[in-house]
């Protein structure tokens, strides 16, 4: 009982209990509100349509527009559509080649080409793969009866020209028509092209894993440094202490990527960009995480841990590593642009799966902005706080 009484006299005991309760409340509240109604926002996902066929191709495009619950954008240039797919501005391309109608008229299988960017969240890739199969099945269902009717009509016209008794000709015609209608076949075939594809299944989880490990590590490190700073704040000026903490943050941020890259190689996770690019991007991302976690701790003290838990939960749901940002509500979509995990996940999709390096440069710029803003906020709070260094007592010398 004495041990229990001693512990409950210390403020940190209560903080630990509050943090445990906060984890439950925050994670439930954020995740449940962020993912509520996700299925109702599938229309935010974009699919590009391009038809090089001016006959049946246009009819197919109209049918797709009438059935799919997504935002559908028409393209006249395949190169432009592929560029936007690579930029992850659209999730899939449905391409109808120029020989679509001629293949159907010749009695051959026509083809629809689907391009799906694999540098996306698993839910997006699986959804687009399912859409490709659904679209092909529905178009087959709609077009094959038309093809059967045209075949019967063409046969009847040619058969009527033959010198044969009318009653016999009618019976043969009906028998052939029944035979043709009973044949079940596919008029249209699908080709699914998976761009930026990586065979390793574990690679799909790298963006999420790096975000979790980096931010949780940053939270713990900053909290420990805060406790260390409280122990020495009476002997060191606030600016010396602040500068020292930033130097440690930078040192760790630029040392950690070596471990990250080493672990990726150890587990056979290949990179689509060079070593220096991965190194600098990981360093910037971790530095941004450290600066964000530090800002909450410097502003709110030990209670800043609660805000860091909120930041962890919000970053996991808005990063796009689990559910695409386009399927989140407007609030969480806008919040994503303020948090470093969004740019970290997007950057790692480019690193692991490939894609436009312009995205990577843009993500680095955004991470740099977050670092600058959070450092400025921390510096302003430090400037407003009073220094806790004890002034030395000047003892007058005694005259002997």
């Amino acid at each position: 009982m004495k041990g229990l009484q001693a512990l409950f006299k210390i403020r940190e005991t209560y903080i630990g209990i509050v943090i445990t309760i906060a984890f439950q409340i925050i994670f439930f509240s954020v995740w449940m509100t962020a993912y509520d109604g996700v299925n109702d926002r599938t229309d935010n996902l974009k699919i590009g349509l391009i038809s090089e066929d001016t006959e049946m191709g246009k009819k197919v495009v109209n049918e797709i527009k009438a059935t799919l619950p997504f935002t559908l954008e028409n393209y006249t240039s395949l190169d432009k559509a592929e560029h936007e797919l690579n930029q992850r501005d659209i999730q899939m391309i449905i391409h109808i080649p120029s020989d679509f109608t001629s293949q159907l008229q010749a009695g051959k299988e026509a083809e629809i080409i689907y391009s799906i960017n694999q540098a996306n969240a698993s839910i997006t890739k699986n959804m687009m793969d399912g859409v490709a199969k659904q679209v092909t099945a529905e178009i087959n269902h709609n077009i094959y009866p038309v093809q059967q009717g045209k075949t019967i009509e063409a046969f009847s016209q040619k058969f009527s020209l033959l010198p044969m008794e009318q009653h016999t000709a009618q019976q043969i015609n009906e028998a052939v028509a029944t035979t043709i209608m009973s044949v079940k076949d596919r008029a249209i075939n699908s080709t699914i092209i998976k761009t930026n594809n990586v065979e390793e299944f574990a690679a799909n989880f790298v963006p999420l894993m790096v975000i979790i490990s980096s931010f949780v590590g940053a939270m713990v490190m900053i909290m420990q440094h805060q406790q260390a700073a409280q122990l020495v704040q009476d002997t060191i000026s606030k600016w010396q202490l602040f500068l020292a903490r930033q130097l440690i943050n930078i040192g760790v941020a630029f040392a950690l990527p070596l471990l990250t890259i080493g672990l990726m190689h150890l587990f056979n996770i290949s990179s689509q960009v060079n070593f220096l690019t991965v190194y600098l991007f990981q360093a910037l991302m971790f530095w941004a995480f450290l600066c964000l976690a530090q800002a909450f701790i410097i502003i709110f003290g030990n209670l800043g841990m609660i805000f860091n838990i909120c930041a962890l939960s919000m970053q996991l749901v808005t990063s796009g590593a689990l559910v695409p940002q386009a399927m989140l509500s407007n609030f969480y979509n806008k919040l994503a642009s303020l948090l470093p995990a969004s740019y970290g996940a997007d950057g790692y999709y480019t690193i692991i799966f490939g894609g436009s390096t312009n995205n990577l440069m843009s993500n680095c710029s955004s991470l740099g902005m977050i670092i600058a803003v959070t450092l400025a906020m921390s510096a302003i709070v430090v400037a407003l706080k009073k220094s806790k260094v004890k002034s030395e007592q000047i003892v007058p010398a005694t005259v002997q």
Side-chain angles (χ1 to χ4, degrees), residues 12 28 152 269 358:
E12 281 70 18
F28 264 87
I152 293 170
I269 303 297
N358 291 335

Short mmCIF file of all heavy atoms in Angstrom, two decimals, residues 12 28 152 269 358:
data_model
loop_
_atom_site.label_atom_id
_atom_site.label_comp_id
_atom_site.label_asym_id
_atom_site.label_seq_id
_atom_site.Cartn_x
_atom_site.Cartn_y
_atom_site.Cartn_z
N GLU A 12 3.14 11.97 -12.93
CA GLU A 12 3.34 11.11 -14.10
C GLU A 12 2.51 9.85 -14.05
O GLU A 12 2.16 9.28 -15.09
CB GLU A 12 4.82 10.75 -14.26
CG GLU A 12 5.69 11.83 -14.87
CD GLU A 12 5.90 13.03 -13.95
OE1 GLU A 12 5.68 12.89 -12.73
OE2 GLU A 12 6.27 14.11 -14.45
N PHE A 28 -10.61 5.22 -31.58
CA PHE A 28 -11.98 4.89 -31.95
C PHE A 28 -12.65 6.08 -32.63
O PHE A 28 -13.30 5.94 -33.68
CB PHE A 28 -12.79 4.46 -30.72
CG PHE A 28 -12.86 2.98 -30.54
CD1 PHE A 28 -11.86 2.31 -29.85
CD2 PHE A 28 -13.91 2.23 -31.07
CE1 PHE A 28 -11.91 0.93 -29.68
CE2 PHE A 28 -13.97 0.86 -30.91
CZ PHE A 28 -12.97 0.20 -30.21
N ILE A 152 -27.67 -13.79 -87.36
CA ILE A 152 -28.90 -14.44 -87.85
C ILE A 152 -29.47 -13.68 -89.04
O ILE A 152 -29.90 -14.28 -90.04
CB ILE A 152 -29.94 -14.52 -86.71
CG1 ILE A 152 -29.45 -15.48 -85.62
CG2 ILE A 152 -31.30 -14.97 -87.23
CD1 ILE A 152 -30.27 -15.45 -84.35
N ILE A 269 13.18 -5.84 -50.33
CA ILE A 269 12.26 -4.81 -50.84
C ILE A 269 13.07 -3.90 -51.76
O ILE A 269 13.91 -3.14 -51.30
CB ILE A 269 11.62 -4.00 -49.69
CG1 ILE A 269 10.89 -4.93 -48.72
CG2 ILE A 269 10.69 -2.95 -50.26
CD1 ILE A 269 9.74 -5.69 -49.33
N ASN A 358 8.56 13.60 -60.28
CA ASN A 358 8.05 14.93 -59.94
C ASN A 358 7.22 14.87 -58.65
O ASN A 358 7.23 15.81 -57.85
CB ASN A 358 7.18 15.48 -61.08
CG ASN A 358 8.00 15.81 -62.31
OD1 ASN A 358 9.20 16.09 -62.20
ND2 ASN A 358 7.39 15.77 -63.47
#
